[in-house]
Amino acid sequence: MSFSSFPIIDLKADRSTIVQSLLNACSTTGFFYLRNHNLHGAQERMFSLAEAYFRLPLAIKEQHFITPEDRGYIRVGQENLDSANIKQIDEKEAFNIYTSDKSDQLPVLFAQPNNYKLISDFQRACYDLCMELLMYLADSFEIDRDYFTSRHKWGPDSADKLRLLHYPATQKKIANAEHQSIRAGAHSDYGSITLLFQHNQKGGLEVLDRLTNIWHPIEPYEDMIVVNFGDIFEYWSNGFIKSAVHRVVMPVEHLTGSNERFSIAYFGFPNHTTLLSPILSKVIADRAFEKDEHAKHVLVHNNERIITAGEHLRMRLNKTYKY
Ligand SMILES: O=C(O)CCC(=O)C(=O)O
Ligand SMILES: [Fe+2]
């Protein structure tokens, strides 16, 4: 598997194919497309709800302004995912809903019983899918099948988050591919595994090949989820699993027509007290990992104490938001 032919994992394939493909994908591109996932209907309903929310007046949306615990509404220009580039401002708005959030913590639209049920059911379906993938991944590493899932317990201590994203239409014209405007800065995700839903053929998502430093577009396919590995797996595998560096740019093909984009991300995250110590797996025991530029921010603590998932999250969030 490589950046020239992006990995596709089919959940209807046989177990050994899935296990082998996962091992290849996590150690090369750090992301893959997932086919036959069963979330299609719910995904469409979630996009309709997200669109209705983002069309509300700003004053209503700001009633649930992002909290220091990372819950709520993030307005355009507030988040900079590329913390190494302090001038960068992301041209997007977003809303974060943790799986542990109760309806009375949410905006009226999301708290309506049918919408709250839609959100909760969608979160649970995303969680179940992540757990299925994490069990296959444990098989890939020949460790206990529940090794990863037991560190992602569902319930009040769950740190999983659903994020609705909206990139408003702009009038920007892009001269050429070298000068595309950045809608979400280059970053790796903070968590373990992310499910990313794209919509309406609106592209712009790109992943970096760290070896060649070339960005590759991740085309949107309505029937496939984009799955990527995050920082937590880079810690757990001592760098063998790649935390995919990605960004969102203004797609060239949308110079004509609306360039508005909606996307939805579900971030799997271990329970906060989980230690980020490397897994003991014979599959990676003999492999040397060379730290590259992009992994440095994750694996800088060689001689320091092992940190927890919660500490890692706090470190990354502090660098991301402007309040
Ligand atoms: O909107 C997208 O396609 C990507 C969003 C993203 O990477 C993120 O929120 O972490
Ligand atoms: Fe991301």
Side-chain angles (χ1 to χ4, degrees), residues 46 49 97 110 115-123 162:
M46 279 304 305
L49 182 60
I97 310 173
F110 296 152
N115 289 339
Y116 186 68
K117 181 170 177 356
L118 169 65
I119 294 167
S120 310
D121 289 353
F122 188 69
Q123 286 176 321
L162 182 71

Side-chain angles (χ1 to χ4, degrees), residues 14 27 43 61 117 119 122 125 149 182 196 201 221 239:
D14 59 82
S27 57
Q43 162 186 343
K61 292 185 282 191
K117 181 170 177 356
I119 294 167
F122 188 69
T149 55
I182 305 288
L196 184 72
Q201 275 91 49
Y221 297 107

Side-chain angles (χ1 to χ4, degrees), residues 81 163 165 167 187 189 196 205 246 248 261 263 267:
L81 281 170
R163 164 173 255 212
L165 292 130
Y167 302 82
H187 67 283
D189 288 345
L196 184 72
L205 179 64
H246 53 286
V248 180
R261 169 183 164 90
S263 63
F267 298 101

Side-chain angles (χ1 to χ4, degrees), residues 93-296:
E93 53 180 347
F95 197 97
N96 291 345
I97 310 173
Y98 278 78
T99 54
S100 50
D101 287 352
K102 303 274 174 284
S103 61
D104 60 9
Q105 291 172 269
L106 298 175
V108 173
L109 181 67
F110 296 152
Q112 285 168 15
N114 52 338
N115 289 339
Y116 186 68
K117 181 170 177 356
L118 169 65
I119 294 167
S120 310
D121 289 353
F122 188 69
Q123 286 176 321
R124 181 66 207 208
C126 288
Y127 170 81
D128 288 344
L129 182 53
C130 288
M131 295 309 107
E132 189 179 352
L133 292 170
L134 291 185
M135 279 192 273
Y136 282 126
L137 196 67
D139 284 351
S140 311
F141 285 96
E142 299 179 30
I143 57 178
D144 284 348
R145 183 165 287 176
D146 68 352
Y147 186 92
F148 300 127
T149 55
S150 64
R151 288 160 172 77
H152 289 79
K153 288 199 191 76
W154 181 261
D157 292 334
S158 167
D160 285 13
K161 159 174 92 181
L162 182 71
R163 164 173 255 212
L164 313 176
L165 292 130
H166 176 221
Y167 302 82
T170 70
Q171 300 302 317
K172 277 195 181 144
K173 298 277 181 242
I174 305 136
N176 59 46
E178 305 252 316
H179 294 92
Q180 294 173 102
S181 73
I182 305 288
R183 302 182 113 175
H187 67 283
S188 58
D189 288 345
Y190 321 151
S192 48
I193 191 164
T194 304
L195 307 180
L196 184 72
F197 301 84
Q198 304 193 81
H199 189 49
N200 272 353
Q201 275 91 49
K202 291 292 160 70
L205 179 64
E206 295 186 334
V207 66
L208 182 70
D209 180 345
R210 297 178 184 189
L211 292 177
T212 60
N213 230 24
I214 292 173
W215 290 96
H216 296 265
I218 315 282
E219 302 297 343
Y221 297 107
E222 215 68 20
D223 62 331
M224 293 199 281
I225 304 175
V226 175
V227 182
N228 68 266
F229 296 96
D231 295 349
I232 298 293
F233 270 113
E234 212 155 303
Y235 284 106
W236 271 341
S237 66
N238 222 358
F240 175 75
I241 296 181
K242 302 291 177 260
S243 178
V245 176
H246 53 286
R247 66 182 185 181
V248 180
V249 298
M250 198 70 79
V252 175
E253 69 268 26
H254 293 120
L255 277 174
T256 55
S258 172
N259 51 25
E260 184 178 39
R261 169 183 164 90
F262 291 91
S263 63
I264 297 176
Y266 182 86
F267 298 101
F269 203 91
N271 305 108
H272 279 175
T273 52
T274 307
L275 282 176
L276 301 184
S277 37
I279 50 172
L280 299 174
S281 159
K282 62 176 191 263
V283 177
I284 51 173
D286 301 329
R287 302 203 195 195
F289 164 69
E290 292 199 9
K291 253 190 249 178
D292 65 22
E293 273 307 305
H294 301 287
K296 273 189 191 150

Side-chain angles (χ1 to χ4, degrees), residues 1-7 20-32 207-211 229 234 239-245 287 292:
M1 283 183 193
S2 74
F3 284 83
S4 53
S5 64
F6 287 127
Q20 190 55 46
S21 314
L22 266 177
L23 190 65
N24 290 341
C26 73
S27 57
T28 54
T29 54
F31 97 96
F32 56 91
V207 66
L208 182 70
D209 180 345
R210 297 178 184 189
L211 292 177
F229 296 96
E234 212 155 303
F240 175 75
I241 296 181
K242 302 291 177 260
S243 178
V245 176
R287 302 203 195 195
D292 65 22

